[in-house]
């Protein structure tokens, strides 16, 4: 009983630290009533989905954590179940971090004066980092409880808390990736509005510019390949050129090269005899949303449609298996979007 009471007390005290922290002070401090040099649109862009995270923690995570206080298995199930939502919500917040920093830096005098007038303890950038720090606190909380249970002889409970901690580490890894993507240079897109990141990885590509002007078919045999990084979001495929990052070896600098909406995509699986290469085509009868210069080709869609398409990207993967994974992932998302469009269309017709 003494062991159980000690573990319960430790869990309660750590859990209270989450209860006492809330981004409410931030939302009340800056609010959406900011006037003067900073527009309401800029404030909303700076805050991102911080209020959604606050409400999610207050209405979902905290109540469920309190219910699981005496049950390590429930705590494990909670974090394993909520891991996708944690990754999605905090990932969206982190990918917006760079844009928030730009707004703050451009208006630093205004926000410093606002902080002084409101008597806020922290600077704006210090308050914006709090949601990101919460994932670290989750990790510290679960790791600490797991170690305490092990010391007290509660081995099964220790394993359950450790498993919950692994779920948090997975979410944290995803948010770190989103923070890196958010640093992409010269990107015209609102990356936080492109949906969940489904897949990303290194590819090789060659420029398409100039081939159409010469009236020749696109040939890449003599072109030097460029190292790029490809990102598949729910709504958009984004291609970036990369360069070495001396400070973060695993996260190269990203430079926007082009994008295309998923609902405009057609994928050509294998190009010639190269089993590691696939092409991304744009449907010709859909408005262009890609920034790179397309090369026109006479490809036809598979199935009944006779819609022509133009080559947007020719991408070389590290292996045939890697190529197959990319083709499968993109096609699956295309099918989902088109299925959703057909469903919405049929519902609209029924209403009429």
């Amino acid at each position: 009983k003494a062991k159980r009471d000690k573990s319960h007390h430790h869990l309660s005290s750590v859990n209270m630290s989450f209860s006492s922290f809330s981004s409410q002070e931030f939302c009340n401090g800056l609010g959406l009533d900011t006037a003067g040099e900073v527009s309401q649109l800029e404030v909303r862009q700076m805050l991102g989905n911080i209020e959604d995270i606050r409400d999610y923690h207050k209405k979902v995570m905290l109540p469920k954590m309190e219910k699981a206080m005496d049950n390590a298995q429930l705590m494990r199930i909670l974090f394993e179940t909520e891991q996708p939502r944690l990754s999605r919500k905090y990932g969206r917040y982190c990918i917006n971090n760079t844009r928030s920093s730009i707004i703050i830096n451009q208006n630093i005098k205004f926000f410093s004066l606002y902080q002084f007038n409101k008597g806020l303890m922290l600077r704006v950038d210090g308050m914006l980092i709090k949601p990101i720090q919460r994932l670290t606190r989750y990790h510290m909380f679960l790791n600490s409880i797991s170690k305490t249970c092990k010391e007290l002889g509660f081995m099964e409970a220790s394993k359950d808390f450790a498993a919950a901690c692994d779920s948090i580490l997975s979410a944290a890894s995803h948010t770190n990736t989103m923070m890196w993507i958010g640093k992409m240079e010269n990107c015209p897109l609102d990356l936080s509005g492109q949906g969940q990141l489904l897949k990303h990885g290194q590819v090789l590509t060659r420029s398409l510019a100039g081939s159409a002007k010469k009236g020749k078919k696109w040939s890449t045999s003599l072109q030097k390949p460029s190292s790029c990084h490809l990102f598949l979001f729910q709504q958009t495929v984004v291609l970036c050129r990369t360069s070495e990052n001396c400070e973060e070896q695993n996260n190269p600098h990203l430079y926007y090269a082009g994008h295309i909406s998923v609902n405009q995509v057609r994928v050509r699986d294998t190009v010639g005899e190269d089993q590691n290469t696939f092409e991304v085509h744009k449907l010709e009868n859909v408005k262009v949303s890609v920034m790179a210069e397309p090369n026109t080709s006479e490809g036809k869609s598979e199935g009944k449609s006779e819609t022509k398409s133009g080559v947007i990207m020719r991408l070389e993967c590290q292996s045939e298996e890697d190529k197959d994974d990319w083709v499968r992932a993109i096609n699956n998302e295309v099918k989902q979007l088109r299925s959703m469009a057909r469903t919405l269309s049929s519902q609209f017709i029924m209403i009429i």
Side-chain angles (χ1 to χ4, degrees), residues 5 64 82 100 107 118 144 207 224 229 235 257 263 284 296 331 335 347:
D5 290 343
K64 290 185 177 182
E82 293 297 326
S100 292
N107 301 278
K118 292 291 184 177
S144 177
S207 174
K224 184 178 179 181
H229 210 93
Q235 299 179 22
N263 61 3
E284 290 285 341
T296 303
N331 280 336
K335 290 177 182 178
Q347 291 177 350

Side-chain angles (χ1 to χ4, degrees), residues 314-351:
R314 178 176 286 181
L315 305 168
E316 180 182 341
C317 302
Q318 296 179 355
S319 66
E320 184 178 357
E321 181 180 2
D322 188 25
K323 182 265 298 182
D324 289 341
D325 287 342
W326 270 111
V327 171
R328 189 181 306 110
I330 295 175
N331 280 336
N332 285 343
E333 197 58 28
V334 170
K335 290 177 182 178
Q336 287 190 24
L337 284 179
R338 291 178 182 171
S339 176
M340 184 182 302
R342 286 194 296 269
T343 301
L344 293 174
S345 177
S346 63
Q347 291 177 350
F348 179 74
I349 293 175
M350 290 176 64
I351 293 173

Side-chain angles (χ1 to χ4, degrees), residues 239-337:
L239 183 68
C240 295
R241 293 184 177 85
T242 61
S243 67
E244 183 180 1
N245 186 347
C246 296
E247 297 181 357
E248 300 180 47
Q249 295 292 332
N250 295 328
N251 295 330
H253 294 296
L254 299 174
Y255 307 94
Y256 169 84
H259 76 275
I260 181 172
S261 296
V262 170
N263 61 3
Q264 299 171 342
V265 165
R266 176 180 295 131
V267 176
R268 182 184 176 191
D269 193 340
T270 303
V271 179
E273 298 180 355
D274 192 343
Q275 300 297 315
N276 297 350
T277 301
F278 71 97
E279 288 180 348
V280 175
H281 291 232
K282 177 192 70 66
L283 299 179
E284 290 285 341
N285 63 342
V286 183
K287 185 179 178 180
V288 180
S289 70
V290 67
M291 303 304 294
E293 180 179 350
N295 173 46
T296 303
S297 68
E298 297 181 352
K300 293 186 178 181
S301 65
E302 299 177 1
K304 297 180 179 180
S305 175
E306 296 297 325
T307 305
K308 292 183 178 181
S309 62
V311 179
I312 298 300
M313 306 169 188
R314 178 176 286 181
L315 305 168
E316 180 182 341
C317 302
Q318 296 179 355
S319 66
E320 184 178 357
E321 181 180 2
D322 188 25
K323 182 265 298 182
D324 289 341
D325 287 342
W326 270 111
V327 171
R328 189 181 306 110
I330 295 175
N331 280 336
N332 285 343
E333 197 58 28
V334 170
K335 290 177 182 178
Q336 287 190 24
L337 284 179

Side-chain angles (χ1 to χ4, degrees), residues 85-290:
R85 280 212 288 181
L86 285 166
S87 297
R88 184 169 62 252
K89 291 178 181 293
Y90 283 92
R92 182 183 176 189
Y93 185 79
C94 287
I95 203 172
N96 189 61
N97 182 69
T98 298
R99 186 168 62 170
S100 292
S101 298
I102 292 174
I103 294 174
I104 293 172
N105 291 336
Q106 290 176 342
N107 301 278
I108 189 63
K109 291 183 179 180
F110 173 82
F111 284 119
S112 296
L113 181 61
Y114 194 88
Q115 175 193 353
F116 176 79
N117 291 336
K118 292 291 184 177
L120 302 177
M121 296 295 294
L122 295 175
R123 285 184 11 168
V124 174
D125 50 355
M127 300 178 98
L128 284 174
I129 204 67
K130 278 193 173 186
I132 302 173
Q133 292 173 335
R134 179 177 288 159
L135 279 184
T136 303
R137 294 189 182 188
Y138 277 135
H139 171 256
M140 293 172 61
F141 156 64
L142 294 168
N143 189 53
S144 177
I145 291 295
S146 178
K147 289 182 178 179
T148 298
C149 289
K150 187 175 182 179
E151 293 172 356
L152 295 174
F154 301 147
M155 304 309 296
E156 286 300 319
S158 177
K159 291 179 181 179
D160 284 330
F161 284 121
C165 189
D166 289 340
S167 295
I168 283 297
L169 289 176
S170 177
S173 176
H174 177 75
T175 57
N176 288 339
T177 298
M178 299 299 277
M179 187 81 76
W180 166 57
I181 297 173
K183 297 177 183 178
M184 186 187 305
E185 296 188 27
N186 303 321
C187 182
L189 298 171
D190 174 10
L191 292 173
S192 64
Q194 304 310 309
Q196 181 75 353
L197 175 67
L198 304 176
K199 183 176 175 61
H200 71 94
Q202 185 177 358
V203 296
L204 294 177
T205 187
R206 295 171 175 85
S207 174
L208 304 180
S211 58
K213 295 179 181 179
K214 297 177 182 179
K216 299 179 180 180
K217 292 183 177 180
W218 178 35
S219 174
T220 61
S221 58
L222 299 178
Q223 293 176 339
K224 184 178 179 181
S226 300
S227 178
C228 293
H229 210 93
L230 188 65
F231 299 95
L232 172 61
F233 294 91
Q234 285 179 314
Q235 299 179 22
T236 311
V237 178
V238 181
L239 183 68
C240 295
R241 293 184 177 85
T242 61
S243 67
E244 183 180 1
N245 186 347
C246 296
E247 297 181 357
E248 300 180 47
Q249 295 292 332
N250 295 328
N251 295 330
H253 294 296
L254 299 174
Y255 307 94
Y256 169 84
H259 76 275
I260 181 172
S261 296
V262 170
N263 61 3
Q264 299 171 342
V265 165
R266 176 180 295 131
V267 176
R268 182 184 176 191
D269 193 340
T270 303
V271 179
E273 298 180 355
D274 192 343
Q275 300 297 315
N276 297 350
T277 301
F278 71 97
E279 288 180 348
V280 175
H281 291 232
K282 177 192 70 66
L283 299 179
E284 290 285 341
N285 63 342
V286 183
K287 185 179 178 180
V288 180
S289 70
V290 67

